[in-house]
Amino acid sequence: MARNEPDEIYQFRAVLRAISPLIWRRLLVRSDSTLADLHEILQVAFGWEDVHLNRFEIRGRGYEVYRDGGGMMGIDAEDVRLCDLNLRRLERFDYEYDFGDGMDRMVMVFRSTPLEKVV
């Protein structure tokens, strides 16, 4: 395996809260991706336009992708790789997009898969 390639693919189940019927996506993401990369993937997967403030909350810590004019109150998501978070199987964490309406809150459930099982 090349030095810069991940050894795992992370599988996330992203579920929008308080929506009926249930709206969810399954995402396969490289373990060396950043939280900012995961944010971008979520934007595409849900058809959002990336125009609002956003935040991950993992184990009580906030991680944010900087937006012009929005400031930043958490840790920069560009600086945090998924593999460095040491996520546990079936661990849940929150992602919030568009703080104003509260509709785009989701819970993410994590699993990992060895790369050779995905390819």
Side-chain angles (χ1 to χ4, degrees), residues 1 4 11 13 22-23 33 44 48 53 55 57 64 68 91 95 113 119:
M1 183 178 318
N4 292 330
Q11 177 178 270
R13 179 179 164 116
L22 184 68
I23 298 173
S33 299
V44 172
W48 295 331
L53 297 174
R55 174 182 177 91
E57 186 170 322
E64 299 177 12
D68 286 339
E91 182 169 2
Y95 172 77
T113 304
V119 180

Side-chain angles (χ1 to χ4, degrees), residues 24-83:
W24 66 276
R25 303 287 186 270
R26 182 176 59 163
L27 311 170
L28 299 176
V29 183
R30 293 168 47 124
S31 61
D32 61 349
S33 299
T34 65
L35 279 172
D37 296 330
L38 180 56
H39 161 76
E40 290 178 21
I41 291 165
L42 287 163
Q43 293 298 301
V44 172
F46 282 93
W48 295 331
E49 298 177 3
D50 197 14
V51 295
H52 299 288
L53 297 174
N54 58 82
R55 174 182 177 91
F56 289 96
E57 186 170 322
I58 304 171
R59 297 184 201 123
R61 295 185 119 177
Y63 303 88
E64 299 177 12
V65 176
Y66 177 77
R67 299 220 40 89
D68 286 339
M72 184 176 286
M73 296 179 63
I75 299 166
D76 188 349
E78 291 279 348
D79 297 334
V80 181
R81 294 184 316 160
L82 296 172
C83 58

Side-chain angles (χ1 to χ4, degrees), residues 90-104:
L90 302 180
E91 182 169 2
R92 297 169 186 258
F93 59 90
D94 292 326
Y95 172 77
E96 184 175 7
Y97 175 67
D98 188 2
F99 300 157
D101 66 16
M103 293 299 293
D104 298 329

Side-chain angles (χ1 to χ4, degrees), residues 103-115:
M103 293 299 293
D104 298 329
R105 287 190 61 92
M106 69 179 62
V107 65
M108 307 284 295
V109 180
F110 166 78
R111 295 175 71 180
S112 66
T113 304
L115 185 62

